[in-house]
């Protein structure tokens, strides 16, 4: 039972490690391309600011992980929380804000729930990326580290995985040693039984002439 549990835990650790690497690669690729990397039509984004903090069910706290879905631009409605390409201090960035109505120059006007004014530029079909569908809130510490300290997170996961692998190797060696010892003990016990049996036979053989 312990061996099975150990294998399960090691497999789980490897899965988490691969998943974490995947998340970091997806996040890095998203930053580089300034667009989400969709898998089966879904992607995620870590909320880096407090611009979407609010009282709505779909308001977003800093370091929440937002799950987003790729949909047609024509399906956007007022009140939707959407992801779109924009700029922050002349640096390309992805923004996740709420649609508050039509923009005077065309497209949709957006605004962060915690912002005092609407975004300057409209969201059009050209820069629209996805619509919010859900959020993960209990992974905020991990999300923060993933966003701010990717190298540290990778190193931490690597150390944990290495420790578990080393532990599993020692456990396997211990189990193999224990199995070998049990095998030797069984062979030794069997040999002792055989020797005892032979001694009994020898004693019986000695007694038979005396009985006659």
């Amino acid at each position: 039972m312990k061996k099975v549990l150990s294998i399960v835990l090691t497999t789980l650790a490897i899965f988490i490690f691969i998943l974490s690497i995947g998340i970091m690669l997806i996040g890095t690729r998203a930053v580089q391309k300034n667009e989400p990397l969709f898998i089966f039509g879904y992607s995620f984004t870590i909320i880096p600011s407090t611009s979407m903090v609010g009282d709505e069910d779909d308001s977003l706290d800093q370091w929440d992980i937002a799950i987003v879905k790729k949909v047609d631009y024509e399906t956007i409605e007022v009140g939707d929380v959407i992801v779109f390409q924009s700029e922050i201090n002349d640096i390309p960035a992805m923004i996740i804000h709420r649609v508050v109505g039509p923009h005077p120059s065309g497209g949709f006007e957006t605004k962060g729930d915690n912002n005092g004014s609407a975004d300057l530029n409209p969201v059009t079909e050209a820069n629209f990326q996805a619509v919010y569908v859900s959020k993960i809130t209990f992974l905020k510490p991990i999300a923060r580290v993933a966003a701010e300290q990717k190298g540290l997170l990778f190193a931490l996961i690597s150390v944990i995985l290495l420790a578990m692998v080393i532990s599993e190797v020692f456990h396997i060696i211990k189990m193999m040693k224990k199995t070998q010892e049990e095998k030797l003990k069984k062979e030794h016990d069997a040999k002792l039984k055989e020797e005892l049996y032979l001694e009994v036979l020898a004693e019986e053989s000695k007694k038979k002439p005396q009985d006659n």
Side-chain angles (χ1 to χ4, degrees):
M1 182 63 183
K2 290 183 178 179
K3 184 177 181 180
V4 173
L5 181 59
S6 178
I7 293 173
V8 170
L9 290 175
T10 302
T11 303
L12 181 61
I14 294 173
F15 172 76
I16 293 174
F17 176 76
I18 294 174
L19 180 62
S20 300
I21 295 299
I23 289 175
M24 285 188 286
L25 290 176
I26 290 173
T28 301
R29 190 264 187 191
V31 171
Q32 292 175 342
K33 299 290 185 179
N34 196 31
E35 61 183 20
L37 176 60
F38 292 97
I39 300 176
F40 302 113
Y42 289 87
S43 187
F44 73 92
T45 180
I46 297 174
I47 309 303
S49 71
T50 59
S51 67
M52 278 299 293
V53 173
D55 299 327
E56 301 294 334
D57 291 338
D58 53 0
S59 293
L60 298 163
D61 292 335
Q62 188 177 24
W63 310 125
D64 278 347
I65 299 176
I67 309 300
V68 298
K69 181 180 181 182
K70 192 174 186 64
V71 299
D72 293 333
Y73 176 77
E74 291 76 14
T75 64
I76 298 175
E77 297 179 354
V78 173
D80 285 347
V81 175
I82 63 173
V83 177
F84 56 93
Q85 296 169 325
S86 185
E87 290 185 349
I88 299 177
N89 298 326
D90 297 326
I91 299 175
M94 284 189 295
I95 308 295
I96 180 166
H97 279 174
R98 189 182 303 279
V99 176
V100 294
H103 195 278
S105 60
F108 292 99
E109 186 172 57
T110 54
K111 175 181 173 296
D113 288 357
N114 197 36
N115 290 350
S117 59
D119 301 323
L120 181 62
N121 298 316
V123 175
T124 64
E125 188 170 3
N127 65 345
F128 169 70
Q129 294 297 311
V131 64
Y132 163 91
V133 292
S134 185
K135 61 183 173 182
I136 301 173
T137 61
F138 64 90
L139 294 177
K140 287 180 183 178
I142 296 177
R144 180 172 184 173
V145 174
E148 294 183 338
Q149 302 288 340
K150 292 184 176 67
L152 177 61
L153 179 62
F154 178 80
L156 180 61
I157 294 174
S158 298
V159 169
I160 293 174
L161 178 63
L162 180 61
M164 294 192 71
V165 169
I166 292 174
S167 175
E168 178 62 19
V169 169
F170 276 109
H171 177 72
I172 291 173
I173 293 174
K174 183 179 178 181
M175 292 297 295
M176 290 176 62
K177 184 178 180 181
K178 183 178 179 182
T179 301
Q180 184 66 21
E181 288 176 349
E182 290 177 349
K183 181 180 178 181
L184 292 174
K185 186 176 183 299
K186 287 181 180 179
E187 291 176 353
H188 180 66
D189 290 344
K191 186 176 180 180
L192 286 178
K193 288 181 180 179
E194 184 179 359
E195 291 176 352
L196 181 61
Y197 177 69
L198 292 175
E199 289 179 4
V200 171
L201 287 179
E203 290 293 331
E204 291 294 330
S205 298
K206 291 179 181 178
K207 289 180 180 180
K208 285 182 180 179
Q210 295 176 0
D211 294 339
N212 293 332

